[in-house]
């Protein structure tokens, strides 16, 4: 059986159930790289120039980890999934960059996704991808229909049950991803919304287990995936008119939505070296400063970020929220 490797990084979190369904329907076995470690990050970092963004370094570390574990590695180039809205340049060149910096990588299965080129082009690209596993176009069609349905179910599961991506992946694929949670008997202290891309929020090495840390501090954590596509798109439209970047909803849309919804605090997660996020997060920060209703903090992560520094900032942020809420109660009394 042909084994297809999928790096547990970048768009894995958004699309894994869809990709896995597609390849399994065509008779392949899917192998996912293990969770990120410092060794993986260092090995990925060693292949690129220092100012490459952290998630790409992590991604390359995962590719290196899959060498010898699979026959092919799946690395799509997702250019655009919405008309006239384009992805960050790192995603556009991901298969080519990987080939260039990891020449020893197993053969790369790539596919160009660009909705602006029309449906015909998209179907042709999907068929060319499937042809590595079967010559039967009907089988490829069936596999792509099943894959799309798996993706819709996955999105619906997250927004209707307020699940994080790892929790939803665990449910739809039976892969242990999220830490099993035992309900806490302590009262919830408040609600914190995290805004940022899933590959930052859910990579526990990169994010220093931020979600777990907040839950341990008895805060309810909300993330962008807990909102529907419509909620994210309309919130983005209210703040900036129309989106300019793919996945802008994860930052601008989620930021605006949660600012309006009355959560106790919002933490924006971004990474050093990211052009799109530095612009998008600044829009959310300015909106938070204008509304003055919700505490906002942005955390910029990079490979030399110290965990103690992150924890100190989080403690100060939660302390500020606590004092703010206490003041509000005193004013009302
Ligand atoms: S959006 Fe930013 S963090 Fe994500 S791949 Fe592009 S540059 Fe890197």
């Amino acid at each position: 059986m042909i084994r297809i490797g999928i790096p547990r990084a970048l768009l894995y979190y958004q699309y894994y159930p869809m990709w896995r369904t597609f390849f399994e329907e065509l008779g392949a076995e899917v192998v996912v790289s293990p969770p990120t470690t410092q060794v993986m990050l260092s090995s990925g970092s060693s292949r690129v120039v220092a100012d490459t963004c952290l998630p790409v370094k992590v991604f390359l570390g995962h590719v290196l980890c899959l060498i010898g574990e699979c026959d092919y590695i799946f690395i799509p180039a997702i250019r655009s999934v919405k008309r006239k809205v384009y992805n960050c340049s790192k995603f556009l060149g991901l298969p080519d960059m990987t080939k260039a910096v990891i020449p020893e990588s197993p053969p790369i299965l790539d596919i160009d996704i660009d909705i602006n080129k029309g449906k015909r082009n998209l179907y042709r690209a999907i068929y060319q991808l499937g042809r590595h596993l079967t010559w039967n176009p009907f089988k490829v069609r069936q596999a792509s229909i099943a894959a799309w349905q798996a993706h819709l179910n996955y999105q619906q599961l997250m927004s209707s049950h307020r699940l994080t991506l790892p929790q939803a992946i665990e449910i739809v694929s039976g892969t242990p991803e999220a830490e099993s949670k035992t309900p806490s008997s302590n009262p919830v202290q408040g609600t914190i919304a995290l805004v940022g891309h899933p590959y930052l929020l859910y990579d526990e090495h990169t994010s220093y287990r931020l979600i777990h840390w907040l839950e341990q501090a008895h805060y309810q954590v909300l993330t962008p995936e807990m909102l529907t596509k419509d909620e994210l798109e309309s919130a983005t439209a209210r703040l900036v008119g129309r989106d300019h970047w793919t996945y802008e909803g994860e930052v601008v849309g989620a930021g605006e939505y949660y600012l309006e919804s009355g959560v106790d605090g919002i933490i924006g997660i971004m990474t050093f070296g990211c052009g799109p996020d530095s612009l998008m997060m600044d829009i959310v920060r300015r909106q938070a400063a204008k509304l003055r209703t919700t505490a906002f903090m942005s955390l910029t992560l990079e490979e030399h970020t110290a965990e103690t520094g992150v924890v100190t900032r989080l403690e100060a942020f939660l302390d500020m929220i606590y004092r703010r809420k206490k003041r509000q109660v005193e004013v009302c009394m």
Side-chain angles (χ1 to χ4, degrees):
M1 188 186 276
I2 292 179
R3 286 174 308 157
I4 311 280
I6 296 184
R8 191 189 294 259
L10 291 179
L11 299 179
Y12 158 85
Y13 295 95
Q14 278 104 322
Y15 298 120
Y16 172 64
M18 175 165 76
W19 295 345
R20 174 179 153 154
T21 305
F22 181 76
F23 291 122
E24 287 187 346
E25 287 281 319
L26 294 178
E29 183 191 346
V30 171
V31 181
V32 181
S33 54
T36 310
T37 61
Q38 184 55 40
V39 173
M40 286 160 84
L41 172 56
S42 305
S43 63
S45 270
S46 68
R47 300 295 178 117
V48 282
V49 293
D51 55 2
T52 305
C53 71
L54 180 62
V56 168
K57 291 175 179 171
V58 169
F59 180 85
L60 296 174
H62 281 265
V63 172
L64 285 162
C65 194
L66 283 167
I67 293 175
E69 302 295 324
C70 55
D71 303 300
Y72 294 97
I73 294 197
F74 177 56
I75 306 180
I78 300 194
R79 295 168 192 275
S80 173
V81 289
K82 188 176 174 189
R83 278 187 69 75
K84 298 194 176 163
V85 178
Y86 289 92
N87 217 340
C88 146
S89 60
K90 306 286 192 332
F91 288 107
L92 273 54
L94 203 55
D96 294 331
M97 186 201 328
T98 308
K99 276 180 213 160
V101 301
I102 309 182
E104 71 273 37
S105 153
I108 292 174
L109 293 186
D110 59 356
I111 175 174
D112 259 19
I113 303 285
D114 186 348
I115 217 79
N116 297 288
K117 290 184 179 165
K119 279 187 181 169
R120 231 183 141 81
N121 205 288
L122 179 66
Y123 296 152
R124 195 179 307 130
I126 294 171
Y127 177 62
Q128 278 168 358
L129 175 67
R131 229 175 49 178
H132 291 272
L133 299 165
T134 177
W135 283 94
N136 185 340
F138 295 105
K139 273 192 165 179
V140 178
R141 185 170 183 274
Q142 285 307 112
S144 55
I145 291 171
W148 182 244
Q149 192 54 50
H151 183 61
L152 296 180
N153 294 346
Y154 176 56
Q155 288 188 319
Q156 216 265 334
L157 185 66
M158 284 181 288
S159 56
S160 60
H161 290 77
R162 294 212 152 189
L163 296 179
T164 62
L165 285 161
Q167 287 167 338
I169 289 180
E170 188 172 343
I171 289 171
V172 298
S173 64
T175 317
E177 291 268 337
E179 230 170 73
S180 55
K181 280 191 277 176
T182 41
S184 164
S185 52
N186 294 310
V188 171
Q189 298 286 332
T191 307
I192 303 282
L194 300 180
V195 303
H197 304 300
Y199 48 84
L200 288 172
L201 303 188
Y202 300 116
D203 186 311
E204 294 199 337
H205 183 78
T206 306
S207 69
Y208 299 100
R209 306 183 78 227
L210 175 63
I211 294 178
H212 178 73
W213 193 93
L214 288 168
E215 285 172 347
Q216 290 288 96
H218 308 297
Y219 277 82
Q220 186 194 2
V221 178
L222 302 175
T223 61
E225 303 72 44
M226 294 174 185
L227 304 175
T228 63
K229 194 165 167 259
D230 285 348
E231 284 170 332
L232 289 174
E233 283 186 354
S234 55
T236 305
R238 284 198 294 282
L239 189 52
V240 291
R242 76 168 188 90
D243 41 356
H244 297 83
W245 299 94
T246 307
Y247 313 123
E248 188 161 345
E250 293 161 5
V251 180
V252 175
E256 171 68 3
Y257 184 94
Y258 286 128
L259 277 172
E260 291 170 356
S261 72
V263 294
D264 297 304
I266 297 180
I267 304 178
I269 313 291
M270 52 186 277
T271 171
F272 174 77
C274 175
D277 280 5
S278 59
L279 292 172
M280 291 190 278
M281 203 59 83
D282 194 52
I283 291 171
V284 180
R285 184 190 61 74
R286 283 166 190 254
Q287 180 72 347
K290 187 173 141 197
L291 297 177
R292 296 169 65 98
T293 50
T294 311
F296 176 82
M297 171 176 89
S298 74
L299 271 180
T300 304
L301 305 169
E302 46 121 349
E303 60 194 299
H304 303 298
T305 304
E307 184 171 359
T308 34
V310 172
V311 170
T312 305
R313 288 200 61 201
L314 286 173
E315 284 172 347
F317 186 65
L318 296 190
D319 195 39
M320 181 176 79
I321 289 173
Y322 172 76
R323 281 188 279 114
R324 201 175 165 137
K325 285 178 81 169
K326 202 169 157 216
R327 236 186 358 253
Q328 280 166 356
V329 171
E330 282 166 3
V331 169
C332 292
M333 276 165 54

